Amino acid sequence: MDDDGTRGGRGPGADRAPGPAAPPPPAHPPRVPHPAGAASAQPVEHRQAGPAPAAPPVDQPAPGAPVDAWLRTPRPQQEPGVWRYGYTPPPPEESERVSDRSLLVGALIALLSALLLWSLWRNGYLPYRLVPLKLFTPGEWWNPGTSGGPRTIEGSDALTVYEAILFGLLAYGCGRIGNFSELFRRHVAERGQPFLALAAAAAAGLTQLLVWKETLPVVRPVLVLVASVAGGEIYQSQTVVNVIYGLIAAAVLWPFARLGRWRELIAARRGGGTAPAPADPSAPATTTSADQWPELRAAGWTDAADTLTAEVRTGRMNDVDVARLRHAWRLATRRPDRLGPLAESVLRTGGAAALHPSGHRDLPRRTARHDVLTGQVRIGRCADDPHNPYVRRGTGLALDPALLGTSLLAVGPPGAGKSARLVRPAVEALALRALAGQAAVLAVGGAGEPLGPDDAFDVVVRVGHPGSAHDIDLYGGTTDPDEAAAVLAEGLVGDVGSLDSRRAATVLAQLLGPYRAAHGHFPSVPELRELLDGTPAAFAGLRASLEAAGHHAMLRELDARSRQAGGPGDPAPALADRVALLDRPTFAGFFATGPDARPFELRALGQYPLRVRVDLPERGHAEASRLLTRLLLAQFTAITAARTDTSLFVCLVLDDATHAVTAETVRGIRRLRSVNAGAVLALRTVDDVPEPLHTPLLGAVGCTAAFSGITTWDGKRFAEAWGKEWVETREVAQHTVFADQPFTRALHALRKLVTGKAVTTDAVTVRQVEKERWSASELAYAVPSGHAVIRLANVDGEHAPPLLVHLDG
């Protein structure tokens, strides 16, 4: 793979390929087995209110991970940035939560009131308590008068049943008024098992004791009802009596067993400590499940589908294999002549068919959670914060090519986590997508930056390192002098506001054209520096070569350069000074252009699914590194805009874009989304970009991320870019109520005891106002460490509001 799109490689190990990595746990995206058996874990997403820390890499289980279960996991369509793997919608938003104090005091008051009312009933202090019963029973059962008691045994039995019914109604009303259901859910049910089962068992034991002590009217009313239906002679059998007592005890236990979920607990204990897994809703019985490759079966390739199904179910395929073969099948359907060879390759090699040219089937190590099927990488979890919409709180946040296609700008001070928590996960996701044949990535950072190990890339360029296998082509692999001059001028002096880059491009074209015509290639760095400095020997030698070859048109270009040299506003001296940054002993042997040169051609990114990393010598040559970063950005925007085949997603990742953004590259970034390309730019502050470009840059990118620790000046720019929203504000003016009457003061004291607040009257004013989504002060001081405020948008125009995210990528 190292030779694709290049002119060779330098140094040993250029063609070294790492072995496939081991599979992760069964519930996670599976990976190909490896004897070493070590990789990073990929846990399944679960909704929860608070952020969860990232799980460290752990040893993987034995081969045979269930790829079919991972493949059938639902991935519903959601808003931009939602982690779709195993997503479940949140429960409906609850109304304002009652405080625990108010809930407990209200339940206690309801219970005491019910006990008082029942005591008054039992002791006969309530008048007319028997009138409803006497209206529906014969008069001879009762003594005369409204308060007369039962005269006969039938009247006594009716009173017993009547009291039981009234007790049940009183208990139901007490439970509703005291909100005992909410009290039970909040303080018992939410604690889970086994506390729930033990609490229910304790309540059941206490209730049984009260029932058999006849404190609760249950036993006698049941016996009376049974005797009235079956006759009193039924109690002559001790067996029947025992059965009735057993049924009463079971009836008393049944509601507590339901509340305590005893059946589920017992089933979980018998099943080895884990509850049975629910049926997979994503694979209905009427359709073919995803692990059986229905697209191949629908096209008639049943044998190939059976082969892949067996590979999936035996664990010989990983998630990258599935994504790669699905993509290969989609490409083959567009050209039917490729279907036969693809099917034969599947029958012969199984999951290893249509391999990436490097032969890799996975990355050597993953540091983030990936869903290769959708191209998403999970970078964090939306915080439970009022700034975030309720439906997004606790959900995972992920990046994918549809979002990166609008380009991403991340701003944060050193140590905020841009590289480890955002840039590297994005590079990993793009590298996995490249292994699936769907993307190409160019990652640019300083030497030693955590962008991934060497084995995770096809081409590694170490600028200034003698063991580097590749160089950088300063001219972008083009043969057109004007095109090469325009891009090189942007990289050399595009950040100099006082210098017109078009004049600089003209100066370079006047030199590059004649030199290429005379020598067949562009000049090297020392030769270009001599020509820009106007060295007489360099000009004389070039003129002699052109005269000998008969290039009269190029001689006129060289004469024009000679006449303009040294004039007012001549950009040649500034260009020579910038080229001198690359004409250092550290870079000797780099940037060569002759027949023996072996630079990496950036143009190959648009043709092959390459994984390329460029290490820049930032520590010893900061200005040269910035120049090369600016040059690579200019070459990337120019090359991607000119390509005709845009089926391959191409992305440039700059770990440090300081002084790399120019007016021309901003216009190029704006065009990337229309050619299936994107860029990820990381900055320490927005001031690393020229001030006239602040607004154009924020308007050119669709995704922005403000990390914790940014200044209020940077926060102001983000706040302006994110705009405002209409919100409903409530202004409440509270006035304390002072009571004059003793009874009113007593009621107010009781109310203060229940609520914990003084009695007040509220004057509420509700208004609709336009407010910034995030203010500059909030972005500077209210974003916790390890968090970022991220605004996402995709190439289809959908967007999500700025979200506070806990970064665990």
Side-chain angles (χ1 to χ4, degrees), residues 79-82 379 397-411 422 426 649 651 669-670 673 677-683 696-707 718 721-722 788-803:
E79 297 179 1
V82 176
I379 62 173
L397 191 80
L399 299 177
D400 58 58
L403 299 174
L404 297 180
T406 64
S407 297
L408 186 149
L409 175 66
V411 178
L422 180 65
F649 178 74
C651 189
I669 291 173
R670 189 178 290 112
R673 69 176 64 189
V680 178
L681 310 177
L683 295 171
L697 177 60
L698 289 172
V701 297
C703 303
T704 48
F707 283 71
F718 280 107
W722 291 339
V789 182
I790 301 178
R791 188 255 187 188
L792 299 175
N794 60 21
V795 293
D796 296 328
E798 298 177 332
H799 59 85
L803 302 170

Side-chain angles (χ1 to χ4, degrees), residues 51 148 187 273 308 327 349 395 414 423 453 468 475 486 503 517 564 604 615 660 673 749 769 791 807:
H187 296 283
L308 293 179
H327 178 68
T349 60
T395 61
V423 174
S468 177
Y475 306 100
R503 292 193 60 189
Q564 297 170 3
D615 295 342
R673 69 176 64 189
V769 298
R791 188 255 187 188
L807 299 169

Side-chain angles (χ1 to χ4, degrees), residues 84-319:
R84 294 166 51 190
Y85 180 76
Y87 173 82
T88 55
E93 185 174 7
E94 296 181 356
S95 57
E96 186 176 353
R97 185 182 177 97
V98 181
S99 65
D100 291 342
R101 176 179 178 180
S102 299
L103 192 62
L104 291 172
V105 172
L108 180 61
I109 292 177
L111 179 61
L112 294 177
S113 301
L115 291 176
L116 176 62
L117 186 62
W118 181 246
S119 177
L120 294 176
W121 165 270
R122 293 295 300 269
N123 292 282
Y125 289 106
L126 296 180
Y128 309 109
R129 65 191 186 97
L130 299 179
V131 171
L133 180 59
K134 291 181 178 181
L135 292 177
F136 295 95
T137 54
E140 60 269 15
W141 290 3
W142 310 98
N143 291 319
T146 56
S147 301
R151 178 189 299 177
T152 62
I153 297 177
E154 291 81 359
S156 298
D157 294 341
L159 180 59
T160 300
V161 176
Y162 179 57
E163 287 183 346
I165 294 175
L166 290 180
F167 179 82
L169 294 176
L170 180 63
Y172 176 77
C174 173
R176 291 297 300 270
I177 295 174
N179 204 2
F180 279 85
S181 60
E182 176 65 17
L183 185 67
F184 174 82
R185 184 190 65 82
R186 187 180 300 183
H187 296 283
V188 180
E190 287 186 354
R191 296 192 179 186
Q193 301 288 11
F195 181 82
L196 176 61
L198 294 176
L206 178 61
T207 305
Q208 289 281 8
L209 178 63
L210 296 177
V211 165
W212 297 111
K213 290 290 185 179
E214 296 191 3
T215 303
L216 300 179
V218 176
V219 177
R220 290 188 62 192
V222 171
L223 296 177
V224 168
L225 289 175
V226 172
S228 63
V229 174
E233 296 81 3
I234 193 174
Y235 294 121
Q236 296 178 1
S237 173
Q238 186 62 35
T239 303
V240 173
V241 174
N242 293 338
V243 170
I244 293 175
Y245 284 167
L247 292 177
I248 293 174
V252 173
L253 286 177
W254 181 78
F256 295 98
R258 290 289 302 274
L259 291 175
R261 301 174 184 173
W262 295 351
R263 183 178 179 181
E264 298 177 9
L265 180 62
I266 295 174
R269 296 292 183 181
R270 290 180 177 177
T274 57
D280 187 359
S282 63
T286 56
T287 60
T288 304
S289 58
D291 65 309
Q292 296 182 6
W293 302 86
E295 60 271 18
L296 272 70
R297 298 183 186 277
W301 300 95
T302 307
D303 294 340
D306 291 339
T307 301
L308 293 179
T309 301
E311 293 272 308
V312 166
R313 294 184 175 178
T314 56
R316 293 195 295 268
M317 288 180 62
N318 64 0
D319 52 349

